[in-house]
Amino acid sequence: AMLLRAATRHRSPLARLGLDFRRGGRRGLAAVNMALLQKLRSQSGAPIKDCKKALEASNGDMDEALEWMKKQGSLLRNKRSDQEASQGLVGVAFSGTDTGALVELSTETDSVARLEMIHDLVNGMLQSILKSPQLGDSAVVELSTDAIEDLPYGEQGESKIKDAVAEAVLQVRE
């Protein structure tokens, strides 16, 4: 009896994550397999806990889980939008001799502003703005935050800037 008590006191690492398949898991997590969890984690960069929740919510469908995480990222962004963001990063880019863009991305801490992912985000935003038809022929054009968020993002414009920002918020939790 003493040995049995000692064995039940210690939980396996999988059980600590809520993925103890020997007992059928808890809260229906038996459907979440480790390979799928690791794949989602590597694609999204989100914490394991969030990946697990996404896979639970989508019944193990990877695409639905990614969509769920994007929605959660935008919800987190909206929830944190009232936090003071006194740090950040300013990016400048030029196209030719007469066109330039300036972007300020505010963060809560300077350590987040120094992340390579945030630098890549700002550079991608600058490139999207420089490609934007909204610039026109004016000497100076100021774009609203909403206008910038709706611009295409990425090499082929496969997503919008707001999606890239939501993904970054989900990864850095700020």
Side-chain angles (χ1 to χ4, degrees):
M2 180 79 88
L3 181 61
L4 181 59
R5 228 179 314 148
T8 57
R9 222 182 283 161
H10 300 287
R11 294 175 58 196
S12 71
L14 287 176
R16 280 187 225 122
L17 290 174
L19 300 171
D20 190 2
F21 297 110
R22 293 174 300 189
R23 295 190 195 115
R26 75 168 187 213
R27 285 187 275 147
L29 291 181
V32 177
N33 90 27
M34 254 340 237
L36 200 56
L37 186 65
Q38 288 174 341
K39 184 177 178 184
L40 183 59
R41 170 119 168 80
S42 68
Q43 280 186 5
S44 67
I48 287 180
K49 184 177 179 182
D50 291 345
C51 294
K52 184 178 73 171
K53 286 180 184 178
L55 286 170
E56 284 176 5
S58 66
N59 294 323
D61 184 350
M62 182 68 92
D63 294 331
E64 279 186 41
L66 285 168
E67 283 301 313
W68 185 87
M69 291 177 83
K70 284 181 183 177
K71 288 178 187 172
Q72 293 302 313
S74 63
L75 290 176
L76 180 66
R77 187 181 100 192
N78 292 338
K79 192 186 307 182
R80 297 195 62 91
S81 64
D82 61 343
Q83 297 284 339
E84 183 181 338
S86 60
Q87 303 297 316
L89 183 67
V90 174
V92 179
F94 296 96
S95 174
T97 58
D98 60 347
T99 306
L102 176 75
V103 169
E104 176 187 15
L105 183 71
S106 298
T107 61
E108 293 174 28
T109 61
D110 62 333
S111 59
V112 169
R114 290 191 301 251
L115 291 173
E116 184 177 342
M117 176 183 65
I118 300 299
H119 286 256
D120 293 343
L121 177 64
V122 168
N123 287 331
M125 291 170 69
L126 287 166
Q127 296 309 311
S128 296
I129 292 168
L130 288 174
K131 293 177 189 174
S132 171
Q134 296 177 1
L135 292 181
D137 294 329
S138 290
V140 176
V141 176
E142 185 174 338
L143 299 175
S144 69
T145 302
D146 292 335
I148 291 172
E149 286 183 337
D150 287 333
L151 291 175
Y153 182 82
E155 293 295 320
Q156 282 76 36
E158 59 272 3
S159 64
K160 295 192 179 294
I161 288 179
K162 65 181 166 189
D163 298 330
V165 171
E167 200 170 303
V169 166
L170 187 62
Q171 289 182 17
V172 297
R173 310 299 284 175
E174 183 173 301

